[in-house]
């Protein structure tokens, strides 16, 4: 079935994703070869275990993505990490070092680590943010409105996730721009427009986080950060390293992804003015999941087979990598009626933009949902006549579906 895709085609090619998500190729695989071997060129699989082969199995159907996501017995994130493609020159040692990050762990370590981090994302914690984040969303939109014109990404989409993270873990609001800059730089390796060194940016976040942790250990407060780093009744808190990498995870998973969901959502509203009118007038609750489905900010994460596993009628051998293409699963015609129609009343909507169900379902999903709902509420209340002044600029990246700029007029 190798003739299903053009010679040399790789879904993780940053040039391909900068142009557009390759929906045509995904649709072809879903129909003809839903579990499909994609060979990778030299340099594009650096850091992966040798036994994983020089390529990956593209998993494109919703049912198969869900099945692998739920199966921690046969599938590992720890072996090769969740990130499917690094920059050329990535070493095996560097990949293994990233196992301190939650998304790159397997049970039982993942289970205990996630239990600690989840203290910061309880429904009670997120609900407690509702009032202050509603106010912040309104202030963000009003400030943009006063400008008249601007970049939606910087003015609106980036601001609420940054302020939410700062509010959640106690980063002074005046330091939120540092998190913004560092998170951008961490994803900079594929995009020449973004200046920065990913390794240096990661070290900056680590240093900043460890400074915060040291402060809370010396002077505990009644806040989530104190709960994360100090032992609870089970006797375990995050180590300094774990907390540092948790802040890195927040900076990327909690900032970049929600920012891109909001920006893609706004652009979808521009392209579907009937849906914007509906949102302004009726505010259907289903809007949030449709924005996440439509955007799918993380297009793919990977798993590595711990055993020979049959999935979708194909045997994937122990050690081989499977690419869970959320961007394909979220447009699976067998699950979503008219998947390429943006419909903010879509129900049911079993989107996998938060990673599918299973152990690695996004720990911050409820916070992301809150941010998306509140920012679009504020836009509808205070800026209902917002218009697009130009096309968005896409990020050049292997696995982030990002928009760097979106010029708009606020009204």
């Amino acid at each position: 079935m190798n003739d299903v895709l053009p010679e040399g085609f790789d879904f993780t090619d940053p040039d391909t994703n900068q142009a557009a998500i390759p929906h045509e190729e995904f649709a072809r695989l879903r129909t003809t070869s839903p579990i499909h071997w994609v060979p990778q060129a030299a340099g594009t699989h650096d850091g992966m275990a040798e036994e994983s082969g020089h390529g990956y199995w593209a998993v494109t159907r919703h049912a198969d993505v869900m099945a692998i996501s739920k199966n921690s017995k046969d599938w590992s994130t720890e072996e090769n990490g969740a990130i499917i493609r690094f920059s050329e020159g990535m070493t095996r040692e560097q990949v293994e070092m990233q196992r301190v990050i939650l998304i790159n762990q397997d049970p039982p370590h993942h289970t205990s680590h996630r239990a600690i981090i989840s203290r910061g994302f309880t429904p009670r914690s997120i609900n407690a943010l509702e009032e202050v984040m509603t106010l912040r969303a309104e202030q963000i939109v009003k400030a943009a409105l006063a400008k008249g014109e601007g970049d939606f990404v910087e003015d609106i989409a980036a601001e609420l996730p940054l302020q939410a993270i700062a509010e959640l873990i106690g980063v002074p609001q005046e330091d939120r721009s540092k998190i913004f800059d560092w998170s951008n730089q961490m994803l900079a390796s594929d995009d020449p427009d973004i200046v920065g060194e990913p390794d240096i940016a990661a070290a900056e976040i680590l240093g900043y986080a460890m400074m915060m942790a040291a402060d809370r250990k010396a002077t505990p407060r009644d806040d989530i950060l104190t709960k994360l780093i100090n032992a609870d009744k089970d006797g375990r808190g995050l180590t300094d390293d774990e907390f540092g990498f948790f802040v890195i995870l927040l900076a990327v998973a909690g900032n970049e992804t929600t920012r891109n969901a909001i920006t893609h959502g706004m652009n979808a509203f521009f392209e579907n003015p009937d849906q914007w009118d509906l949102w302004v007038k009726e505010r259907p609750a289903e809007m949030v999941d449709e924005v996440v489905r439509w955007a799918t900010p993380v297009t793919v994460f990977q798993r590595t087979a711990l055993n020979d596993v049959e999935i979708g009628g194909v045997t994937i051998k122990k050690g081989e990598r499977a690419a869970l293409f959320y961007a394909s699963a979220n447009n699976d015609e067998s699950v979503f009626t008219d998947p390429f129609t943006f419909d903010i009343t879509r129900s049911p909507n079993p989107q996998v933009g938060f990673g599918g169900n299973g152990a690695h379902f996004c720990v911050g999903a409820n916070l992301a949902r809150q941010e998306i709902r509140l920012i679009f509420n504020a836009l509808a209340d205070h800026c209902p006549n917002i218009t697009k002044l130009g096309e968005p600029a896409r990020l050049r990246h292997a696995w982030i579906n990002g928009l760097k700029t979106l010029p708009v007029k606020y009204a």
Side-chain angles (χ1 to χ4, degrees), residues 77-145:
T77 58
E78 201 161 287
E79 182 61 31
N80 287 299
I83 307 305
I84 194 165
R85 177 167 169 161
F86 295 102
S87 298
E88 188 172 354
M90 187 74 168
T91 67
R92 182 64 187 159
E93 182 183 20
Q94 286 174 303
V95 171
E96 291 175 349
M97 285 173 61
Q98 295 193 11
R99 290 174 180 169
V100 73
I101 302 177
L102 186 69
I103 63 169
N104 298 324
Q105 296 172 347
D106 294 335
H109 188 203
H110 174 269
T111 308
S112 61
H113 192 173
R114 185 182 174 103
I116 299 168
I117 287 175
S118 295
R119 296 174 198 167
F121 294 93
T122 64
R124 182 179 179 182
S125 297
I126 304 308
N127 289 339
L129 289 174
E130 178 87 12
E131 186 175 345
V132 67
M133 296 316 298
T134 298
L135 182 61
R136 289 190 181 282
E138 291 176 350
Q139 290 171 338
I140 288 165
V141 171
K142 288 177 180 178
L145 189 60

Side-chain angles (χ1 to χ4, degrees), residues 14 39 99 200 217 232 284 347 354 373 375:
R99 290 174 180 169
I200 294 174
K217 284 180 178 177
D232 67 355
S347 181
F354 292 120
R373 173 174 52 81
I375 204 67

